[in-house]
Amino acid sequence: MKKLINNPEDVVKEELKGIELAHPDLVKVFYDPDFIVRADAPVQGKVALVSGGGSGHEPMHGGFVGKGMLDAACPGAVFTSPTPDQMLEATKAVDGGAGVLHIVKNYTGDVMNFEMAADLARDEGIEVESVIVNDDVAVEDSTWTAGRRGVGLTVLMEKIVGAAAEEGRSLKECADLARKVNGQGRSMGMALTSCTVPHVGKPSFDLPEDEMEIGIGIHGEPGRHRIKLEPADKITEMLLEPVVEDLPYKEGDEVLLFVNSMGGTPLIELYIVYRKAVEILDAKGIKVVRNLIGPYITSLEMAGMSITLLKMDEDLKKLWDAPVKTAGMRWGI
Amino acid sequence: MAITRDDVLNWIKSYAQAIEENCEMLTDLDREIGDADHGANMRRGFRAVLEKLPSVEDKDIGTILKNVGMTLLSKVGGAAGPLYSTMFTKAGMTIGAKMEMDLNDWAQALEAGTTGIAKLGKALPNDKTMLDALYPALNALSAAMGNGASVGEALQKSADAAHEGMLATIPLVARKGRASYLGERSAGHQDPGATSTYLLIKTAAETWTDC
């Protein structure tokens, strides 16, 4: 293992300390239990957004805490769901009297821990709603699996619903909006290389030089298929077609196109993918009206990318363009 | 003969030791079909349990088990945290404020823990989960008790059945948890959760063999 770390057990704590020192204008960091809240929390009268998940996906979620996005993020160990005590304390710290929305990616552990935390918070008199993100078309949504994973769409949901909470929408309106975003967003990802969890010390899977994994999640779990490497245009097609067909996105639709790096893939390659994705969508009469390109929901140093489409309307465009000021995403301010 | 509070404490310590020794093996199993963290997460949890035990070791069995459950909930994370927490918490609630228990108490506690896990994880037998070790362990335990087996014999039968159940997960296609994302590719691998569960039953049998 070759990593810029000290003791593998200290990775998350040392990262949090770095975030605390780097962004005192944006966030406050709490330890044991660990969570990050926006610097001006709790914001009275505003719905608060809390998310969380394993570490290793930076900038998600801690990098999305701040004005116009999340009120709190709970980081677990690398690729491991955080625990209910973290979520409960974060929920209490950001509750401004208008209720708290939990944004939960659909993984068995995340769902169980957030469910327990929401129950505990309700016991303490806080109004909590939960929304599950499950946008990964690589997983068949059936009783035979744990259901579709929450992947790239999580970033878009946190931005859009964060803007809605900022402009004063109610808890119910925010939760309905989040479910609407989940309903019209889809993603799929692929890996060129594996990644190594610091406290494990070995790659999560072995991937030969001339092969790739199609349909991966964000935790270094292998995908649905392993096949021979193909050129970027072909890979783009392999990811985008199932995404388009799943909703399906149709001629005349306006979309946000999100091309995300899994951590190790540079922007130069993401733009090659973006170019091909726009070409494919153009040919189908689907219009890209907004985009996001870069490493926003990563799997440590994994090389690879994911493509997310979100069907847009006037309200979503307005919320997407609204000001946001976080470590990981910042515009309009 | 009875299983005393000290026997219960020894079992928890013995399981913590087993997790420590098998940490890498559990993580390797999880690397194949999951996300390579089961051993590390369980070790973090049971190290915290060992730190917690001295403050509750003069309490009754129910209180001790519930404290183990709460510690696991706040330290393990992932799916294993809530699931193992449920096992210990429900078992503790079932046994209650006793300083010693008999085999019947243990069978009821194990059943309550198993039911709690099934409810929380919404899994069924043969989904390739912890339950595939737990249900056989429970069934073998009650069968042995019905046949009038000694405590040691009954626990050993229970551990043997958990072992068989664990091995029987190998050909299964996972239908719950992260392994289910692999679909058919999950077949041919032993389930990490069923493996750590087998160790739980096995250490109980070993620790309580002379009770």
Side-chain angles (χ1 to χ4, degrees):
Chain A
M1 175 171 61
K2 210 170 178 186
K3 280 183 186 290
L4 257 177
I5 60 170
N6 299 304
N7 180 353
E9 305 296 328
D10 297 335
V11 164
V12 175
K13 283 273 195 288
E14 290 179 355
E15 178 208 7
L16 286 175
K17 192 70 201 168
I19 289 173
E20 181 182 11
L21 291 169
H23 308 295
D25 55 325
L26 301 175
V27 299
K28 284 183 288 197
V29 179
F30 292 83
Y31 300 90
D32 295 312
D34 301 342
F35 58 97
I36 302 174
V37 302
R38 57 190 265 182
D40 56 353
V43 182
Q44 290 307 321
K46 185 185 91 68
V47 170
L49 266 56
V50 176
S51 193
S55 294
H57 307 304
E58 289 69 12
M60 190 184 80
H61 295 276
F64 299 147
V65 175
K67 193 173 163 56
M69 220 162 161
L70 296 178
D71 292 77
C74 306
V78 173
F79 292 173
T80 298
S81 159
T83 56
D85 52 330
Q86 288 172 269
M87 299 162 182
L88 175 64
E89 290 309 315
T91 300
K92 283 156 69 175
V94 297
D95 176 36
V100 179
L101 182 66
H102 287 175
I103 295 182
V104 186
K105 299 190 299 303
N106 191 33
Y107 297 95
T108 309
D110 293 69
V111 171
M112 280 181 202
N113 283 286
F114 264 108
E115 236 173 59
M116 288 182 157
D119 282 345
L120 294 169
R122 286 186 197 111
D123 271 355
E124 300 200 17
I126 300 174
E127 205 187 340
V128 179
E129 275 248 33
S130 296
V131 176
I132 305 274
V133 196
N134 59 349
D135 54 313
D136 184 4
V137 305
V139 178
E140 204 182 327
D141 192 11
S142 76
T143 49
W144 306 107
T145 68
R148 289 186 161 171
R149 297 174 284 220
V151 286
L153 188 63
T154 316
V155 178
L156 311 184
M157 185 189 289
E158 289 176 358
K159 165 66 186 86
I160 287 167
V161 182
E166 206 70 53
E167 66 168 47
R169 294 194 197 178
S170 71
L171 180 59
K172 179 167 188 313
E173 287 168 329
C174 288
D176 287 346
L177 175 67
R179 292 188 186 107
K180 172 179 147 180
V181 168
N182 191 56
Q184 53 199 54
R186 296 288 188 276
S187 302
M188 190 156 162
M190 57 80 57
L192 295 168
T193 66
S194 183
C195 58
T196 299
V197 174
H199 60 255
V200 175
K202 298 188 259 192
S204 298
F205 53 87
D206 301 310
L207 194 51
E209 190 62 19
D210 61 339
E211 290 182 357
M212 61 181 173
E213 285 273 343
I214 299 287
I216 51 147
I218 53 172
H219 301 95
E221 64 268 53
R224 298 288 283 195
H225 312 287
R226 172 172 295 190
I227 54 173
K228 290 285 176 203
L229 195 57
E230 297 274 3
D233 284 2
K234 178 79 183 156
I235 297 172
T236 305
E237 213 179 290
M238 289 169 69
L239 294 196
L240 192 52
E241 290 293 349
V243 167
V244 170
E245 279 163 27
D246 193 85
L247 192 64
Y249 298 87
K250 298 197 198 81
E251 186 172 356
D253 281 351
E254 293 192 326
V255 296
L256 185 158
L257 169 58
F258 172 26
V259 178
N260 172 64
S261 165
M262 301 310 295
T265 288
L267 269 173
I268 185 172
E269 294 172 22
L270 297 185
Y271 278 110
I272 293 172
V273 169
Y274 182 78
R275 158 201 140 276
K276 181 63 185 179
V278 171
E279 186 190 307
I280 295 170
L281 293 170
D282 263 352
K284 294 179 188 292
I286 299 167
K287 193 174 173 207
V288 178
V289 293
R290 296 290 185 278
N291 66 58
L292 185 69
I293 303 164
Y296 289 95
I297 168 170
T298 60
S299 296
L300 297 168
E301 75 281 19
M302 175 183 282
M305 58 97 184
S306 63
I307 296 178
T308 301
L309 287 185
L310 172 61
K311 191 172 156 182
M312 300 295 272
D313 57 27
E314 290 314 309
D315 189 39
L316 293 188
K317 281 193 265 183
K318 186 188 76 172
L319 292 167
W320 179 255
D321 294 339
V324 59
K325 191 177 181 187
T326 68
M329 209 183 269
R330 197 180 299 202
W331 59 72
I333 287 183
Chain B
M1 291 295 283
I3 299 162
T4 67
R5 176 186 66 196
D6 284 349
D7 294 327
V8 171
L9 287 167
N10 286 334
W11 163 55
I12 296 166
K13 289 173 191 165
S14 160
Y15 185 54
Q17 177 69 28
I19 289 295
E20 199 73 44
E21 285 163 7
N22 291 285
C23 178
E24 195 164 340
M25 182 264 284
L26 291 171
T27 290
D28 282 342
L29 290 174
D30 196 24
R31 177 181 302 105
E32 287 163 9
I33 56 169
D35 56 351
D37 64 4
H38 187 53
N41 290 344
M42 290 293 281
R43 184 175 63 184
R44 183 173 58 248
F46 276 90
R47 281 182 179 173
V49 164
L50 289 183
E51 279 175 34
K52 177 79 188 176
L53 278 187
S55 68
V56 294
E57 65 188 8
D58 59 338
K59 304 284 196 293
D60 57 81
I61 294 174
T63 303
I64 290 169
L65 293 179
K66 281 188 278 182
N67 270 279
V68 171
M70 287 313 292
T71 305
L72 294 176
L73 189 62
S74 67
K75 291 294 173 199
V76 178
L83 292 170
Y84 271 97
S85 170
T86 296
M87 166 56 78
F88 280 92
T89 307
K90 296 280 181 199
M93 286 160 65
T94 304
I95 294 164
K98 290 184 181 164
M99 300 307 266
E100 54 178 48
M101 61 176 181
D102 59 22
L103 206 50
N104 202 36
D105 292 322
W106 169 243
Q108 283 177 10
L110 195 60
E111 183 168 10
T114 303
T115 306
I117 286 175
K119 199 168 157 231
L120 185 62
K122 302 177 183 76
L124 296 169
N126 299 323
D127 278 353
K128 199 175 181 106
T129 71
M130 297 166 70
L131 291 175
D132 294 322
L134 282 170
Y135 284 131
L138 261 181
N139 292 340
L141 184 62
S142 71
M145 285 163 65
N147 295 336
S150 71
V151 173
E153 280 167 7
L155 289 169
Q156 190 53 51
K157 292 245 189 279
S158 177
D160 290 345
H163 186 251
E164 274 174 44
M166 170 190 86
L167 294 177
T169 64
I170 295 174
L172 295 176
V173 172
R175 292 187 295 215
K176 283 283 177 283
R178 253 169 223 182
S180 70
Y181 303 139
L182 277 90
E184 298 290 334
R185 278 176 80 180
S186 63
H189 300 280
Q190 186 172 310
D191 182 60
T195 308
S196 58
T197 301
Y198 159 64
L199 293 173
L200 186 76
I201 307 295
K202 173 179 170 254
T203 48
E206 285 169 357
T207 314
W208 300 339
T209 182
D210 297 323
C211 287

